[in-house]
Amino acid sequence: MNLFHIGPYAIEGRAVLAPMAGISDQPFRNLCRTQGAALAVSEMVTSQTHLWQSRKSQNRLKSDGENGLRSVQIAGSEPTQMAEAAKACVDAGAHIVDINMGCPAKKVCNKAAGSALLQDEGLVNDILQAVVEASLVPVTLKIRTGWDTNNKNACRIARIAQDAGIQLLTVHGRTRACRFNGEAEYSTIAAVVTETDLPVIANGDINSPEKAQQVLEQTGAAAVMIGRATQGNPWLFQQINAFLATGEKAQQPHLAEVAQTLLKHLNAMYNFYGQEHGVRIARKHFAWYMDKHLPTQEAVKAARRQFNPLLLPQEQLKLVRTLFTEHLPLEEEAA
């Protein structure tokens, strides 16, 4: 098993869960860790700590019940404010503070945060210096390759980060202007790996064990970070781990295992959010599981039509059991 370090922490494995707003909550992070994720980064929280009283922020900051290292991501553009937010995250239980300079969302970039910061290398330096100085835990950074295809400054940002005391750098293989369009490119990530001594995580379009191996070989990165491909498919982590260790592709989970995992995931959401809110949050996760594991799009659509109107946890759980009981015979026949 390959190791890399974030400060004093040894990270075992080469596949990491990306921070995704509204997705990588505590129930999903815990699930992905049990399926082999070496690290799972929390959803982004604002550096404006006076806004942390909202239910959304409180849920993102909860540390009780976390089953591994807690890496909390913060976003903002004012160095002192970012430093205060980092200290508050540590007080709330963070083992690692991650700085977001990679989000391309307009609502983040319009506030000169996220990947908008890549345009101002002086401000990047000021933020990194302030957060590292204020933090009693390791600080990591996530960036993109640059602002646009004519302004790829990831290597300069990486050197600034290393000099500031950042412990690990994640690079998404697109510019801010690219958002999530087109294909990620990895040559810039390879250049960052070559030009710094930091452990680097490669991110972007990694959706299979084969792609993970390709990106690791192409970039020399310490690990890969995976986001959208894990939705409804937390098994991707153990599949990547197995493929990197043996070169053999793992089988997709049987429907009985999918059902069991989904039921556990649903119960974790009800316990974390409360029944009413948990039922609502469950709908999007249910849809992703169905899309990845039911045999046809017609079956997926039918399942969602039945699931979405349900208002009680026991109704959702019962439907899951019924749906998978119906499809298990089809899987056995196909085998």
Side-chain angles (χ1 to χ4, degrees), residues 266-278:
L266 291 174
N267 276 309
M269 284 186 276
Y270 306 144
N271 290 333
F272 184 77
Y273 290 107
Q275 292 193 5
E276 182 180 353
H277 193 45

Side-chain angles (χ1 to χ4, degrees), residues 145 152 155 173 184-195 218-219:
T145 55
K152 292 185 179 180
C155 288
E185 59 92 1
Y186 307 109
S187 58
T188 302
I189 302 176
V192 170
V193 171
T194 300
E195 294 190 26
Q218 184 176 344
T219 62

Side-chain angles (χ1 to χ4, degrees), residues 18-281:
M20 295 177 284
I23 300 165
S24 60
D25 57 9
Q26 189 187 96
F28 192 59
R29 293 195 303 273
N30 284 345
L31 172 59
C32 289
R33 288 192 194 95
T34 64
Q35 295 295 336
L39 182 71
V41 185
S42 77
E43 305 165 271
M44 178 179 68
V45 294
T46 177
S47 61
Q48 300 177 62
T49 56
H50 66 280
L51 299 177
W52 285 8
Q53 299 310 309
S54 70
R55 181 178 63 185
K56 181 185 290 185
S57 291
Q58 287 295 303
N59 283 332
R60 292 181 178 186
L61 289 161
K62 279 182 185 176
S63 59
D64 293 346
E66 197 86 14
N67 67 3
L69 278 179
R70 179 147 171 72
S71 175
V72 178
Q73 188 180 77
I74 59 174
S77 59
E78 204 286 311
T80 301
Q81 193 177 71
M82 289 283 281
E84 291 300 318
K87 287 193 289 187
C89 286
V90 175
D91 291 342
H95 300 106
I96 298 165
V97 172
D98 185 60
I99 299 174
N100 183 313
M101 293 188 184
C103 180
K106 288 183 179 180
K107 66 181 180 180
V108 175
C109 288
N110 287 346
K111 298 176 182 176
S115 54
L117 290 166
L118 299 177
Q119 289 181 298
D120 189 338
E121 294 176 13
L123 180 56
V124 168
N125 179 67
D126 291 345
I127 290 172
L128 300 186
Q129 294 275 2
V131 173
V132 169
E133 184 177 338
S135 299
L136 298 176
V137 301
V139 180
T140 60
L141 172 66
K142 186 177 184 187
I143 65 172
R144 288 189 163 227
T145 55
W147 177 253
D148 58 33
T149 53
N150 295 318
N151 295 280
K152 292 185 179 180
N153 60 343
C155 288
R156 292 198 301 274
I157 296 291
R159 288 191 290 270
I160 291 169
Q162 180 170 297
D163 291 344
I166 293 297
Q167 299 292 303
L168 174 139
L169 181 66
T170 299
V171 185
H172 183 105
R174 290 181 174 86
T175 68
R176 191 270 159 179
C178 292
R179 297 180 60 81
F180 293 101
N181 301 317
E183 294 183 358
E185 59 92 1
Y186 307 109
S187 58
T188 302
I189 302 176
V192 170
V193 171
T194 300
E195 294 190 26
T196 71
D197 297 325
L198 292 172
V200 175
I201 297 179
N203 178 222
D205 293 355
I206 298 159
N207 56 13
S208 69
E210 294 86 350
K211 187 63 177 285
Q213 183 181 58
Q214 173 204 324
V215 172
L216 287 168
E217 291 176 350
Q218 184 176 344
T219 62
V224 291
M225 178 174 278
I226 310 162
R228 290 170 289 174
T230 66
Q231 295 169 7
N233 187 27
W235 297 272
L236 184 55
F237 294 102
Q238 63 177 334
Q239 292 167 354
I240 289 173
N241 293 338
F243 187 76
L244 293 176
T246 68
E248 297 180 3
K249 188 170 182 178
Q251 291 185 336
Q252 289 295 315
H254 294 294
L255 285 180
E257 183 182 351
V258 175
Q260 183 181 36
T261 301
L262 175 53
L263 290 169
K264 288 181 179 178
H265 191 180
L266 291 174
N267 276 309
M269 284 186 276
Y270 306 144
N271 290 333
F272 184 77
Y273 290 107
Q275 292 193 5
E276 182 180 353
H277 193 45
V279 163
R280 293 199 300 270
I281 296 290

